[in-house]
Amino acid sequence: MNKTYISTRNLQKEINFYQAIVQGIGDDGGLLVPNFDLPKLDLKQLVNLNYVELATEVISTFVPDEGKELIHQACINAYGKGLFPEIVVPVEKAGDVYIAELFHGQTAAFKDMALSLLPHLMTLSLKQLNEDRLVMILAATSGDTGKAALEGFKDVEGTCIKVFYPLDGVSAIQQQQMISQEGKNVKVIGIKGNFDDAQSAVKVAFGDASLKEASDQHHVFLSSANSINVGRLIPQIVYYFHSYFELVRRKEITMSEEINFCVPSGNFGNCLAGWIAKQMGLPVKRFIAASNKNNILTDFFTTGKYDANREFYKTNAPAMDILVSSNLERLVWFMSNKDGNKVREYMDKLKKDGVYEVDADIFARIQEEFSAGYLTEQQVMETIKDCYEKTGYVLDTHTACGYGVLKQYQKETNDQTKTVLLSTASPYKFPESVYQALFNEGLDVYEAIEKLHKKTGVAVAKPLIGIQDRPVLHHDHIDKTEIIHFIKSEIEKI
Ligand SMILES: *Cc1c(COP(=O)(O)O)cnc(C)c1O
């Protein structure tokens, strides 16, 4: 089969997997998507594989046949060499909810699941394309992507990486993790603006003519580590299969039994990866997308209207403080039966008016498979406390959105289907909020880590131990309007 990729907006020619990884985004501003029918996998053949083998099987279906051995090696490098625990994604239980912990990678963030692999996909793709220009990775981050990308690309040959984070939009720990990043090819820049500002500027950078000219002159090209890259999306499909098979192996479910997934969502890459797993044969009934007070996705899934003309809130679950949920574009593309012209119309409208509404038939298909809900900050705090008191499990603020929304959903619908909640952060990533929720005391971040550990017994995430003592290596702060200029000057230094 000829496995090519096209853009959700239909205006770019077909490219192969390696080009899609390297290019990052469609040259019409759309997102790259597989231009082939997603293959159905045979569950029985996969159920007993370890994570590396499972990842190889799942991911290589997106790659030309002869690429399988390369993918296998990349998966070993990412998941098999001690950067993750032996069980890459442990599945715990809190009451009747299964919790798949996606935060055991080298930066204690769920983003590690994909960003541990992306640099390997990038280097193998560069080799396949005989590319000798330097790749400059641009990443906007609401907190966790930045650190995970820095760690993934640090000192990777043929690449350099620039990470832009909103100065007021990330937690103290996230900031410290990033600005203490080591590596010869890394740079971390604080932006006076919010995450959407940073993400929009990075998206604009890819289409900017003056940057293109400078890149050509300096033998550089720009690529992305954001979840718009298919190389982020595809590795995330794996842990849906893995979580399912964990439950089968433990006899919690029978093979082929349908389950639900509840996903704390922002840019929607995580949840979309689950939906793709379903297209590949994973028995899933519904996806429940959970948000915080920035409830644009909840509104979309209940009305079919995506309306970004609303206030932006900074919340205690900052990785989900988002108004432009990029990966939704891919879902709309699939649900419109891959009608790129339609998607382009919607996205033009979103750009022009800040709002679009999908056609009734598209919305009907979406509603068949997705539910959604959100929690206020106060509800997040109550949920953390309630879950701990009832089950002994300590949720972080993001996972708490999922847990609370799942409980609401179960109550409203009486749906008893067994459900896996994806946990996207260690509680130690947001220790002040978690400690405040559990013990009603405001502590400074490092004291909160220590006392949270003492009182709950939950092990501190390894990457966070001693983090306060690491020297600050990155001091750049710029205005959101200066991002393009900044990138240009970085290119010119090469
Ligand atoms: C990135 C992130 C999310 C949102 O994931 P998306 O794939 O963007 O929907 C949720 N929680 C945490 C902690 C994250 O870092």
Side-chain angles (χ1 to χ4, degrees):
M1 187 168 35
N2 197 10
K3 293 174 185 165
T4 59
Y5 291 76
I6 54 171
S7 161
T8 48
R9 301 187 194 175
N10 208 26
L11 292 182
Q12 93 142 37
K13 65 174 177 24
E14 294 178 41
I15 54 178
N16 68 22
F17 174 80
Y18 307 116
Q19 290 166 312
I21 294 286
V22 168
Q23 192 175 311
I25 187 170
D27 52 23
D28 56 2
L31 306 198
L32 296 167
V33 276
N35 189 27
F36 48 88
D37 291 334
L38 297 168
K40 287 261 190 283
L41 301 182
D42 181 355
L43 300 180
K44 284 191 219 68
Q45 286 196 355
L46 302 178
V47 62
N48 287 317
L49 298 184
N50 66 26
Y51 202 91
V52 168
E53 303 306 327
L54 180 63
T56 305
E57 292 302 322
V58 172
I59 296 168
S60 61
T61 62
F62 290 88
V63 180
D65 292 343
E66 65 278 9
K68 187 164 179 181
E69 191 40 47
L70 294 173
I71 294 297
H72 185 215
Q73 197 53 50
C75 289
I76 292 172
N77 289 335
Y79 305 116
K81 289 203 167 155
L83 300 178
F84 284 89
E86 179 118 351
I87 303 282
V88 173
V89 176
V91 182
E92 303 291 338
K93 204 169 179 193
D96 59 353
V97 181
Y98 300 98
I99 302 189
E101 296 184 343
L102 304 176
F103 54 77
H104 292 282
Q106 51 184 340
T107 79
F110 126 74
K111 304 293 192 288
D112 291 325
M113 295 310 307
L115 282 165
S116 301
L117 186 64
L118 182 65
H120 300 292
L121 296 179
M122 190 71 78
T123 45
L124 79 83
S125 297
L126 292 170
K127 269 202 198 108
Q128 291 294 308
L129 299 171
N130 290 320
E131 177 62 69
D132 63 352
R133 287 176 293 176
L134 181 77
V135 191
M136 183 180 284
I137 305 287
L138 303 177
T141 183
S142 57
D144 283 349
T145 297
K147 179 62 184 179
L150 289 162
E151 203 54 53
F153 280 98
K154 154 181 95 176
D155 297 330
V156 170
E157 214 179 306
T159 73
C160 67
I161 173 163
K162 318 286 169 198
V163 167
F164 301 91
Y165 72 96
L167 278 165
D168 303 322
V170 301
S171 79
I173 297 253
Q174 289 174 322
Q175 181 165 15
Q176 175 63 11
Q177 273 189 299
M178 286 189 279
I179 61 182
S180 62
Q181 177 67 44
E182 296 178 348
K184 292 190 289 293
N185 62 341
V186 306
K187 202 153 210 174
V188 180
I189 306 100
I191 299 299
K192 295 164 202 150
N194 63 33
F195 170 68
D196 287 320
D197 294 326
Q199 178 166 255
S200 308
V202 166
K203 274 194 192 166
V204 169
F206 290 106
D208 185 275
S210 71
L211 288 186
K212 174 95 183 60
E213 197 186 312
S215 307
D216 288 347
Q217 248 174 33
H218 293 266
H219 215 58
V220 172
F221 72 90
L222 304 178
S223 190
S224 153
N226 274 102
S227 64
I228 48 183
N229 193 312
V230 280
R232 286 280 302 277
L233 186 64
I234 292 169
Q236 296 187 337
I237 301 166
V238 179
Y239 51 72
Y240 283 88
F241 281 96
H242 163 85
S243 308
Y244 186 88
F245 292 144
E246 251 323 276
L247 297 188
V248 172
R249 290 191 292 258
R250 287 195 223 156
K251 304 205 170 14
E252 299 280 346
I253 57 173
T254 54
M255 189 68 122
S256 303
E257 179 176 345
E258 284 192 336
I259 65 170
N260 289 343
F261 281 95
C262 179
V263 191
S265 293
N267 234 335
F268 201 64
N270 195 2
C271 197
L272 180 71
W275 184 82
I276 293 176
K278 181 176 176 182
Q279 310 317 300
M280 297 171 72
L282 192 68
V284 184
K285 190 162 122 195
R286 285 193 90 71
F287 294 94
I288 301 147
S291 304
N292 61 26
K293 195 177 171 192
N294 294 291
N295 58 356
I296 190 162
L297 283 174
T298 311
D299 287 349
F300 176 75
F301 283 112
T302 46
T303 67
K305 192 166 166 183
Y306 192 86
D307 187 353
N309 296 317
R310 62 176 71 207
E311 203 173 326
F312 174 86
Y313 300 105
K314 276 174 27 179
T315 77
N316 54 11
M320 290 154 55
D321 291 348
I322 278 178
L323 291 186
V324 184
S325 193
S326 300
N327 267 294
L328 195 64
E329 180 170 345
R330 284 190 171 109
L331 181 70
V332 172
W333 181 79
F334 278 111
M335 290 294 192
S336 70
N337 293 326
K338 310 186 178 179
D339 184 346
N341 295 328
K342 177 124 264 168
V343 173
R344 178 154 34 88
E345 216 175 274
Y346 291 150
M347 294 306 137
D348 285 347
K349 205 153 171 308
L350 180 64
K351 191 166 175 201
K352 193 163 133 272
D353 306 329
V355 53
Y356 69 92
E357 184 167 4
V358 295
D359 295 2
D361 58 324
I362 298 177
F363 184 50
R365 279 193 285 270
I366 289 174
Q367 279 212 307
E368 258 171 50
E369 294 182 86
F370 290 89
S371 296
Y374 74 98
L375 294 195
T376 64
E377 289 189 273
Q378 183 57 33
Q379 287 174 315
V380 167
M381 300 299 264
E382 287 162 8
T383 301
I384 292 172
K385 186 168 167 65
D386 188 56
C387 177
Y388 184 63
E389 283 174 355
K390 289 195 177 123
T391 73
Y393 189 88
V394 183
L395 299 163
D396 94 289
T397 50
H398 303 75
T399 313
C401 289
Y403 191 88
V405 165
L406 174 60
K407 290 291 157 187
Q408 286 172 357
Y409 167 82
Q410 288 173 330
K411 209 161 154 194
E412 279 161 22
T413 60
N414 223 0
D415 182 353
Q416 308 286 327
T417 309
K418 286 171 189 155
T419 301
V420 174
L421 166 62
L422 298 184
S423 174
T424 52
S426 153
Y428 291 104
K429 254 335 219 320
F430 305 92
E432 308 103 304
S433 299
V434 174
Y435 194 86
Q436 174 85 47
L438 292 181
F439 305 110
N440 200 19
E441 189 186 355
L443 295 182
D444 120 327
V445 48
Y446 299 111
E447 202 181 349
I449 291 182
E450 198 185 312
K451 281 201 161 174
L452 189 58
H453 172 60
K454 271 209 186 108
K455 291 207 179 176
T456 65
V458 177
V460 179
K462 264 204 218 112
L464 302 180
I465 296 171
I467 177 171
Q468 66 268 40
D469 303 324
R470 285 182 217 148
V472 172
L473 302 172
H474 302 272
H475 302 274
D476 286 324
H477 293 175
I478 63 175
D479 193 76
K480 64 183 180 189
T481 56
E482 297 167 335
I483 297 180
I484 299 286
H485 181 77
F486 180 88
I487 296 169
K488 192 163 176 209
S489 65
E490 289 296 307
I491 294 171
E492 284 165 353
K493 280 184 206 160
I494 287 161

